[in-house]
Amino acid sequence: MAQPDTKKIFFENLSGAGKAIAVLTSGGDAQGMNAAVRAVVRMGLYVGAKVYFIHEGYQGMVDGGENIREATWESVSSMLQVGGTVIGSARCKEFRSHEGRLKAAHNLVQRGITNLCVIGGDGSLTGANLFREEWSGLLNELVEQGVIEAESVQKYSALHIVGMVGSIDNDFCGTDMTIGTDSALHRIIEVVDAIMTTAQSHQRTFVLEVMGRHCGYLALVSALACGADWVLIPEMPPEDGWEDKMCQKLSATRSRGTRLNIIIVAEGAIDRHGKPITSSYVKELVVKCLGFDTRVTILGHVQRGGTPSAFDRILASRMGVEAVLALLETTANTPACVVSLSGNQSVRLPLMECVQMTQEVQKAMDQKRFEEAVKLRGRSFENNLKTYKLLAHRKPESELPVSNFNVAVLNVGAPAAGMNAAVRSAVRVGISEGHKMFAVSDGFEGFYKGQIKEIKWADVGGWTGQGGSLLGTKRTLPAKHVDKIAEQMRKHNINALLVIGGFEAFLSLLELLMARGKYDEFCVPMAMVPATVSNNVPGSDLSIGADTALNAITTTCDRIKQSASGTKRRVFIIETMGGYCGYLATVGGLAAGADAAYIYEESFDIRDLQANVEHLTEKMKTSIQRGLVLRNENSNENYTTDFIYQLYTEEGKGVFDCRKNVLGHMQQGGAPSPFDRNFGTKISAKAMQWVSKKLQICHGVTADSCCLLGMRRRALIFQPVVQLKDETDFVHRIPKEQWWLKLRPLMKILAKYKTSYDVSDSGQLEHVVHNRPKESDASVAM
């Protein structure tokens, strides 16, 4: 396929020739580790380095022998979708001793390995840094013992370390998300959704204990994603007397007709005096005080298991490639770094700065400086906690501010998973701000027909886990019915609008903005939150619903590929949604391990198709059994899915056969992923708070009173929709520039293509305290 111009061609500028890179996984296992290992191996081979597996973590490094093996391209095939770590992980006491590290150094030098990629937690990464600092001393000792030649000290003078954090706990400072966290949230939410149905049937209270060691991230985010009644986390222990407050809350929700209660307890939860709060204690409390039928579920190692989510596969793949880049660029004076995620950007941070800040969190908790501990966890954690408090705990009517403003919420465009979480968040934040909230059914079509009614706090209970749009959504634009919509605005005295939807929602706000000159009713604050599986809204790198669609694509591709196991060689042609936007095909292809992804944004012709067939044919002649090709539905009007299927079938005769699958509307359906529930909840809460501020300070006659709230690189930013017109290709309904196009070369490299790779945007070494802009108070990570 044709390549976009790049500012810096990686393959020509950085070479790994003569270098040896070893990759190991250490400590606990986490879903997505295999995707990281695969990316390190394939990127390492791509640049001409030798790459080694170190099996069984540091234990394998100390024991040497068959534990350290050279990796090939094929040795990481079919591991992208496998949970845990294929190369094994083990706790190693011996590596903590000087003698153990001496053995490890000998084993590495024997193979010429001076570049280590360590995937593990803070303990594993701290051990790696100590090993790096001692390296030259260890080599001198080996020379003295006569085990290695003196010239080896000069030849292998420095050990370079790059870390990636693999941990479901998300307890490492400096990164928004660690590898495995999103998959663990998937496991938790699957269980919570299943439990909710039985709890509702029997009017039960469920107490769920989740992992996390001393970090409450999993508990907090799962509570936010399922709308739990109460959550207990170590970073913010409840005030004394919490038992009575919790029981009052549970009793109040039951009295309003709710048939179930969910309480989530982090395994490290404590009270203000440092005393552990156990799930069994919480159960006994509820039974004793309220007499509710209560059950305890301890999720345990279920959270570590299963297939990695699309998010974890993409995160791990990007981090693995970035880790190899960092190793090639490092010098003897470069400190050991860890590859992190900030917003949707890869960044490199000094490893020990991150470790020290992580230790500071525990120190703050030990000294009962809990508010400081929350801040040290990072803006993402802090924001989650604030949002949970805002949505879960309803203030008494007497404590609510009185604003006398009416705010309408509506969904516009096609349904997207996470829309309901966004509506729930908007309604509850609006009520907390003192507004009267109105729900509009069926988008602007329902608006002009008068399908508008007040919506209360309890009306949106249980909405976070529901797929589609409970309000109803239509693609109808307001321009044709603007007079009737203005009439309904007047009739219900609507003072502000919050529109949750896709490209049609963006067009709708532009039309309402144009109508301001004629109708004063539209001179009110209007905010848009992007929600569409296509992820084609200008002004935002991400949209609510896209993550759920990616997971649907990835899961389906896994099953399709599995169907070919044990059969003859086969290539699958999969058609994805997205209109003219190739996001789902590209990022889904990266997550599923596709060989090619055809999209509108990157034009292709018959020669490209032929080259792809030949490339696959060559791979199939070796040990590769299955091929996967994705095609965006509108990538080319002539090269249709049928055409590509027939071409591959004809050209692959004698080598492979072909099957095709059109995924269709299944990409829009199903329960929203934890990411979409959380992203929808946080972004909508922020939009509602902006609406409140605008209602206080202006009458909505300026351009900046009609804004889209979008994720841009590392921050959530409000942008006037009129300013986004220049960034938009209205004919094809896509932004003119799209960040994810930079991921396409990465997908091709991992599929064994020789291609250009732009490193102009690759992570530069930053510092932990400076790695977030001030406005980045709601990251792309959850």
Side-chain angles (χ1 to χ4, degrees), residues 636-657:
N636 188 294
E637 61 181 342
N638 295 313
Y639 300 131
T640 62
T641 302
D642 280 334
F643 178 91
I644 292 172
Y645 162 69
Q646 288 165 7
L647 177 71
Y648 272 73
T649 301
E650 182 61 33
E651 296 296 320
K653 273 183 181 174
V655 181
F656 58 80
D657 66 1

Side-chain angles (χ1 to χ4, degrees), residues 24 54 57-64 68 95 104 107-108 116 131:
L24 69 138
I54 299 179
Y58 287 119
Q59 191 64 58
M61 195 191 294
V62 171
D63 294 342
I68 305 176
F95 189 74
N107 288 327
L108 294 187
L116 267 188
F131 190 39

Side-chain angles (χ1 to χ4, degrees), residues 416-419 530-534 543-550 584 667 676 679:
M419 274 183 164
T532 168
V533 301
S534 302
S543 298
I544 300 164
D547 183 73
T548 305
L550 281 176
L584 290 180
Q667 294 159 85
D676 277 330
F679 186 51

